[in-house]
């Protein structure tokens, strides 16, 4: 279930669809929400909540008694709409695991965890937001408040938004990462981080049942596997993906970790035909498109976990945006050699580092779209506030703050949440734990990026848990055979959705540019057709939501 709320007069309702929405009452207030708390016992001790109440009631009780301080004290995944007098108060969790959308039309506010519900709201008269199209082609996701539905905005993580019947609103920030540098020795930082990682993992383990872990073989998923195996009193089952023996893969590393941690290990083979068959339905599950070729494999893994009877799956997401993954070193090198004096030069370099369609927009978008975007805010507005001196003083922490609040909140977490929820499984990410994030911004930069060693402090904190082969190997990533899929099982779909007269993207893209890309001409990504994958993902999502320019 998902939920919807409207003002004037206030209405709360539950909707069909993936999710765990419910109605709650506490402290004289009522609410609807999707709420999973990882620190329910600790939070319960601070509020007058009914004994044994569910997580949604507990969070509402915390809000009723302590306001936003009560929300800030919670740790978990939540999206809540509270009726407070004639206002609707929207609250989204600290890091953005669950989403909330809102819009105003016909003299009323509406908010929901379902973008589709707002897109179908007759009063809105929904159309396609072309500025959001441009953002998606630049980032491969939507990095902030934008949605592809014109007039609908997304509440940012760590925020509370009060919607008033007169059409006004007020946004409050109840949590944002803060840089508080602590010069203690590296060993003490590593020890503190280890304790926080153990606590974060323990909080996310299910009670009296096995747990699944998605294990790629990289250090992040490996450390979560090792901690789960150490802390859980039930079996730990690990799951990896294979795209075929002919491609480079990390199965040797994931197998080594599974054997080292004594897990029950399974490898799921994902053929291109399965990706082609499931891709349209998978994109339809997402409230905003994600140009990530692992979307279908992620869904298939969640389905396999559900078929094995498990309800909770841990993952290693969060290590890169929180502790300094591969994207940051090139940005730091770029900064050392940057001669561009323009105020937005750093933000431009950050956008360029995505290596998506930014440089191709002049040739890709039609003249009509360019004309419609002539007064749109610059793309750098999405990242520039995080990359200036202010809350974070050092460049590395500014980059991590940007990564956390853009890709972390609007790509990684939301994709995992929607795809796992669609199968009845709950995905949980210990490395996105709030206390872990707070500690990361207390660690000096040279302990996160030590020379050319990324995530150094994270690796040191778990060195005793894993083989050195895993801890010290460089990040390689999973080779996804995108170009093979585009040339093979997806070829007819690509041509139909991108070049046929009926294509939803026909008014957006210049056919000559798309045709050249299909012939492998022009500036394609070296990683196997990534730009075409973006166009295909967008086209499928627009078809699913029946949106057109």
């Amino acid at each position: 279930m998902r939920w919807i709320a409207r003002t004037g007069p206030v209405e709360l309702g539950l909707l069909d669809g993936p999710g765990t929405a419910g109605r709650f009452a506490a402290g004289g207030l009522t609410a609807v929400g999707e709420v999973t708390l990882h620190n329910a016992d600790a939070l319960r001790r601070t509020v007058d909540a009914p004994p044994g109440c569910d997580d949604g009631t507990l969070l509402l009780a915390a809000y009723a008694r302590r306001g936003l301080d009560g929300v800030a004290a919670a740790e978990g995944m939540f999206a809540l709409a509270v009726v407070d007098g004639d206002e609707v108060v929207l609250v989204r969790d600290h890091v953005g695991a669950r989403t909330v959308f809102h819009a105003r039309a016909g003299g009323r506010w509406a908010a929901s965890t379902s973008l589709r519900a707002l897109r179908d709201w007759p009063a809105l008269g929904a159309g396609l937001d072309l500025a959001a199209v441009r953002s998606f082609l630049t980032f491969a996701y939507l990095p902030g408040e934008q949605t592809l539905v014109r007039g609908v905005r997304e509440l940012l993580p760590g925020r509370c938004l009060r919607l008033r019947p007169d059409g006004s609103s007020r946004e409050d920030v109840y949590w944002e990462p803060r840089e508080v540098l602590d010069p203690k020795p590296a060993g003490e930082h590593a020890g503190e981080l280890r304790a926080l990682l153990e606590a974060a993992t323990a909080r996310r383990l299910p009670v009296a049942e096995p747990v699944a872990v998605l294990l790629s073989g990289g250090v992040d998923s490996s450390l979560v596997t090792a901690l789960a195996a150490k802390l859980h009193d039930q079996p730990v089952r690990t799951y990896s993906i294979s795209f075929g023996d002919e491609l480079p893969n990390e199965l040797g590393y994931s197998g080594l970790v599974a054997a080292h941690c004594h897990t029950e290990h399974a490898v799921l083979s994902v053929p291109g035909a399965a990706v082609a068959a499931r891709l349209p339905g998978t994109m339809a599950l997402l409230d905003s498109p994600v140009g990530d070729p692992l979307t279908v494999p992620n869904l298939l893994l969640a389905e396999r976990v559900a078929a094995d009877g498990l309800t909770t799956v841990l993952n290693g997401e969060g290590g890169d945006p929180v502790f300094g993954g591969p994207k940051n070193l090139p940005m730091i090198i770029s900064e050392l050699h940057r001669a561009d004096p323009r105020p937005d030069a750093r933000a431009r370099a950050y956008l360029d580092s995505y290596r998506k369609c930014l440089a191709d927009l002049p040739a890709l978008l039609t003249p009509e779209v360019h004309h419609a975007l002539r007064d749109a805010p610059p793309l750098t507005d999405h990242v520039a506030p995080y990359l200036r001196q202010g809350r974070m003083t050092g460049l590395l922490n500014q980059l991590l703050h940007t990564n956390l609040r853009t890709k972390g909140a609007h790509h990684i977490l939301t994709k995992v949440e929607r795809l796992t929820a669609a199968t009845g499984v709950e995905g949980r990410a210990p490395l996105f734990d709030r206390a872990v994030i707070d500690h990361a911004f207390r660690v000096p930069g040279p302990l996160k990026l030590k020379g050319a060693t990324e995530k150094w402090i994270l690796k040191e904190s778990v060195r005793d848990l894993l083989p050195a082969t895993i801890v010290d190997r460089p990040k390689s990533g999973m080779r996804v055979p995108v170009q093979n899929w585009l040339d093979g099982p997806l070829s007819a779909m690509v041509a139909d959705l991108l070049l046929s007269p009926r294509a939803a993207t026909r008014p957006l893209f210049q056919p000559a540019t798309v045709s050249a890309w299909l012939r492998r001409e022009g500036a394609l990504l070296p990683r196997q057709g990534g730009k075409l994958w973006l166009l295909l993902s967008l086209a499928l999502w627009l078809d699913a939501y029946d949106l057109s320019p």
Side-chain angles (χ1 to χ4, degrees), residues 381-504:
D381 283 2
H382 291 297
V383 298
Y386 301 110
L387 293 171
R388 300 188 188 112
Q389 291 280 71
R391 182 175 290 269
M392 307 292 170
T393 57
L395 175 58
L396 179 59
N397 278 352
Q398 292 168 12
L399 292 171
L400 297 184
H401 193 199
T402 308
N403 299 342
L404 178 70
R405 283 320 204 188
T406 55
K407 187 172 184 178
H410 300 286
H411 172 187
I412 298 172
L413 284 164
T414 52
K415 179 192 73 168
V416 169
E417 162 64 16
R418 285 305 175 215
L419 296 181
T420 54
T423 68
V425 174
E426 191 165 87
R428 301 177 179 179
L431 294 180
F432 274 116
D433 184 89
R434 179 168 45 90
V436 171
I437 295 170
D438 285 338
H439 183 268
F441 285 102
R442 291 197 299 270
V443 175
L447 298 184
K448 286 178 286 202
L449 181 60
K450 191 167 187 177
T453 302
E454 297 146 345
K455 300 185 286 192
W456 182 85
I457 193 68
L458 181 65
K459 295 174 181 178
E460 288 304 300
S461 72
V462 296
R463 182 169 291 279
D464 62 306
L465 288 176
L466 293 165
T469 304
I470 300 297
V471 175
D472 294 324
R473 78 181 186 92
K475 185 178 179 72
S476 60
M478 183 179 298
R479 279 289 299 276
V480 185
V482 173
Q483 192 65 60
N484 293 350
W485 295 343
L486 294 172
D487 291 341
L490 285 170
S491 58
M493 184 188 300
V494 171
D496 182 52
L497 287 172
L498 298 183
L499 290 176
S500 73
R502 71 159 201 91

Side-chain angles (χ1 to χ4, degrees), residues 333-348:
I333 294 173
S334 170
E335 188 73 12
L336 289 174
H337 298 281
R338 178 166 64 87
D340 190 339
R342 291 179 296 177
D344 67 344
R346 180 182 288 176
R348 289 286 306 182

Side-chain angles (χ1 to χ4, degrees), residues 6 88 97 99 173 259 262 307 318 332 348 446 449 472 481 492 502:
R6 295 188 179 95
V88 172
T99 48
V173 178
H262 306 290
I332 291 172
R348 289 286 306 182
L449 181 60
D472 294 324
R502 71 159 201 91

Side-chain angles (χ1 to χ4, degrees), residues 321-376:
V322 175
F323 288 98
K327 185 172 183 176
N328 301 287
L329 188 56
M331 276 293 298
I332 291 172
I333 294 173
S334 170
E335 188 73 12
L336 289 174
H337 298 281
R338 178 166 64 87
D340 190 339
R342 291 179 296 177
D344 67 344
R346 180 182 288 176
R348 289 286 306 182
Y350 187 91
L351 298 184
D352 288 338
S353 73
Y354 271 83
R355 302 172 68 206
K356 304 301 182 186
C357 294
L358 176 63
D360 304 288
L361 292 178
L364 176 61
L365 298 177
T366 64
E368 293 78 12
V369 173
H370 282 297
H371 180 74
L373 291 172
R374 64 191 184 281
D375 296 324

